[in-house]
Amino acid sequence: MSYGRVVLSAFLTMLLMLFVAADLVLFGVLPLNSIVVTILPLAGLVLGAVLAIMARKRQSAGAAPAQTAAV
Amino acid sequence: MKLRYLSLGAVALGFVIGGSASHANADVPGGSGCEGSAVWLEDGLTIVAETDGGPYTIPRSDTVRWEGSVTDAPGVYSGSVTVELPPPFGEVEIDSWSGDSESTSNSGEHEYDFPSLVPAGVEFSVNGEHIDENGGCSGTIAFEIDGGPFDSPIAPISLGGTALFAILTGLALKPLFMKVI
């Protein structure tokens, strides 16, 4: 998984959390002026990047034994 | 759209101005002795600005009879009505006023009809502020439009966006969910 993929994952997770925040407002869970509406997309940005890095490491860990077996 | 929000803002705190008269206001922090009230003629809802901040559930369309006053002739005055947005966006001004008046009260009726795009059941805070030569006052009232989330097309669109980006995020993070050999 490339760094570009990490950025893409972070961006997509941010948008996902933005829509989740919008859902929470639209369904009356949060008031419009809630700070949570701001925090959720930012948390999504960080979470997406972290998950993407974890996925990258996981992919690398999976690829290494496969290369060893091939040799 | 602005006019529709204006109607809400106007009725919100009785922060209403007209002609040369001063406008109503909440008798909240400040020194102008502001008072304001509003009655929804069809719904029957009555709000006295100085008693409660809500949240109030208001109908999507109605006619509001409002009145407001200050204790002394305001002289040079100014004020505004704003809707609070999530931080860091602050507030969006939906109405403002200024002038020079000796009148201490004003009243009127305002008919409003929010379009279906404005979501129901969403709590939003309307702030009002008034400053004149005797001081100033301000207040906040929370409103939500009567109805459910699916009264507006915004909710299905938002749910669709959530589903779409959940799928895209899942695809982008696919290696995380795959079994490592």
Side-chain angles (χ1 to χ4, degrees):
Chain A
M1 183 178 258
S2 65
Y3 284 108
R5 199 72 181 266
V6 173
V7 173
L8 176 68
S9 299
F11 183 67
L12 288 174
T13 312
M14 182 189 74
L15 289 175
L16 171 64
M17 289 302 184
L18 184 67
F19 275 101
V20 168
D23 291 339
L24 292 173
V25 170
L26 289 169
F27 282 83
V29 179
L30 297 174
L32 180 64
N33 60 348
S34 171
I35 185 76
V36 180
V37 178
T38 307
I39 290 172
L40 270 178
L42 296 175
L45 190 70
V46 175
L47 181 69
V50 169
L51 289 176
I53 290 167
M54 284 173 61
R56 191 164 176 254
K57 285 181 178 173
R58 194 178 169 92
Q59 200 174 31
S60 303
Q67 278 180 343
T68 308
V71 171
Chain B
M1 180 69 87
K2 187 181 176 185
L3 281 177
R4 295 175 194 279
Y5 279 122
L6 167 63
S7 63
L8 178 66
V11 292
L13 294 177
F15 276 134
V16 188
I17 30 166
S20 61
S22 182
H23 49 327
N25 211 325
D27 192 8
V28 278
S32 290
C34 311
E35 291 181 352
S37 64
V39 179
W40 274 252
L41 296 182
E42 290 176 30
D43 184 65
L45 173 68
T46 301
I47 294 177
V48 179
E50 53 269 58
T51 55
D52 192 1
Y56 295 98
T57 302
I58 61 170
R60 189 167 286 278
S61 62
D62 205 333
T63 300
V64 179
R65 180 179 296 147
W66 55 267
E67 58 183 46
S69 64
V70 289
T71 50
D72 300 311
V76 177
Y77 64 86
S78 64
S80 63
V81 175
T82 57
V83 173
E84 286 183 19
L85 298 177
F89 301 107
E91 300 175 335
V92 58
E93 187 175 286
I94 55 175
D95 189 23
S96 64
W97 55 83
S98 61
D100 190 347
S101 173
E102 296 304 312
S103 174
T104 59
S105 66
N106 197 5
S107 63
E109 286 186 5
H110 193 93
E111 188 178 352
Y112 72 91
D113 184 9
F114 291 111
S116 61
L117 276 177
V118 179
V122 175
E123 184 183 318
F124 52 96
S125 296
V126 180
N127 298 328
E129 182 185 47
H130 165 77
I131 298 167
D132 62 33
E133 291 180 354
N134 304 307
C137 37
S138 61
T140 301
I141 288 185
F143 281 103
E144 59 182 52
I145 296 172
D146 191 22
F150 291 104
D151 290 353
S152 164
I154 300 290
I157 291 170
S158 182
L159 286 174
T162 305
L164 174 67
F165 282 103
I167 292 167
L168 292 176
T169 305
L171 288 174
L173 296 171
K174 195 175 174 184
L176 194 65
F177 308 115
M178 291 174 70
K179 190 176 179 181
V180 177
I181 301 168

